[in-house]
Amino acid sequence: MPKRFLAKLELFEVEPNKRLITKGENHPYVYLMYDGSLQIINEFDNNRIFAYAAKDATGFSGLLEFLSGQEKATSTVLTLRKSSFLRMHKSTFALWMEEDIQAFRRIVRAFANQLYPAFFSMGSAHVYPKYIILLQYLAKTYSSQLQTKNLVTVNQTREELAQELGLSLRTTYRLCSRLVEENMGVIVRKKIQLTREHMQCINTTLENYSYEQLP
């Protein structure tokens, strides 16, 4: 890569269970994950989440939109564990691709190899309720804290939680109301609070849930 393009690369890390890309939004970068793991999901209007791929490093995000000339992201991309990325603005990336046909061919080939196993295993993808997304997040993030505490407060407001999980704000409000109704948490000053008893109910629900699998 020429130095003038190399200087435009940005290096950054993303913590687990964080949103990298949100479906339907414009994202100006092409990402290369060189360490970590991602989950690609789609939110549908029928109150289901379609999780159709999990990607381990190395791999690209935002490249499909770039190659197709589209601005809005087709899917939400979340980190499954702490992940490290290189990113480049799409306008700079386009200049690099125009100047270096060999690099373009290698990137397209690598991207195809990345997509192939995801599409090949499409039949084993999981479709599950959005409510499970919330419960999984709460269990992963706060179970360990409740081993030493009797009560924890979720750091995010419901607005921030919607952004975190890649869900709509309306959906998140509805899911939080259900959480309270099913005695898996309480809302205090716009934030979720969890006791050990709440977490036990959450974990029991997750353990007993049978994921719907696509035929």
Side-chain angles (χ1 to χ4, degrees):
M1 179 186 296
K3 290 183 178 180
R4 67 182 183 282
F5 294 126
L6 191 61
K8 297 292 185 179
L9 281 174
E10 299 178 44
L11 172 65
F12 70 108
E13 293 184 339
V14 181
E15 294 299 315
N17 303 312
K18 297 292 184 180
R19 179 177 49 88
L20 181 70
I21 294 174
T22 301
K23 179 182 178 180
E25 293 188 1
N26 297 345
H27 289 270
Y29 296 101
V30 172
Y31 301 87
L32 171 62
M33 178 177 63
Y34 63 88
D35 183 49
S37 184
L38 299 175
Q39 179 77 64
I40 304 175
I41 65 174
N42 259 315
E43 180 183 1
F44 296 120
D45 293 333
N46 63 355
N47 204 34
R48 289 292 185 269
I49 290 288
F50 178 31
Y52 63 88
K55 299 192 297 187
D56 294 321
T58 55
F60 292 96
S61 293
L63 190 56
L64 178 61
E65 290 79 6
F66 170 80
L67 293 173
S68 61
Q70 303 297 318
E71 295 183 352
K72 293 184 178 180
T74 60
S75 306
T76 294
V77 180
L78 306 173
T79 55
L80 292 176
R81 58 186 178 91
K82 188 174 183 180
S83 302
S84 301
F85 298 87
L86 293 170
R87 74 179 182 184
M88 180 181 286
H89 200 281
K90 288 179 180 178
S91 59
T92 305
F93 189 81
L95 291 175
W96 177 36
M97 294 295 94
E98 288 176 4
E99 291 189 16
D100 192 339
I101 187 62
Q102 294 301 323
F104 177 75
R105 288 172 177 169
R106 291 191 183 99
I107 286 174
V108 170
R109 187 179 299 113
F111 187 50
N113 288 332
Q114 171 187 309
L115 290 178
Y116 181 83
F119 284 109
F120 190 81
S121 61
M122 187 74 78
S124 61
H126 289 134
V127 179
Y128 48 96
K130 298 170 189 176
Y131 189 51
I132 298 299
I133 285 280
L134 175 62
L135 297 186
Q136 286 176 333
Y137 174 80
L138 295 176
K140 289 179 182 178
T141 309
Y142 297 100
S143 284
S144 59
Q145 294 185 33
L146 284 169
Q147 292 178 2
T148 57
K149 298 179 180 180
N150 294 320
L151 177 71
V152 296
T153 300
V154 176
N155 296 325
Q156 299 91 337
T157 63
R158 280 167 288 181
E159 289 80 1
E160 293 168 337
L161 196 60
Q163 292 291 318
E164 187 84 18
L165 300 179
L167 301 174
S168 68
L169 181 57
R170 182 178 179 181
T171 294
T172 302
Y173 266 80
R174 184 173 67 250
L175 298 181
C176 288
S177 296
R178 179 177 172 183
L179 191 77
V180 174
E181 292 171 0
E182 298 187 0
N183 196 31
M184 296 189 196
V186 295
I187 305 294
V188 178
R189 296 180 180 178
K190 292 188 176 182
K191 292 188 176 181
I192 300 171
Q193 288 188 346
L194 302 170
T195 65
R196 291 181 181 177
E197 290 74 19
H198 290 146
M199 187 55 67
Q200 183 176 0
C201 291
I202 289 173
N203 286 326
T204 298
T205 299
L206 291 174
E207 289 171 2
N208 293 333
Y209 183 78
S210 298
Y211 292 95
E212 302 171 37
Q213 213 167 14
L214 294 179

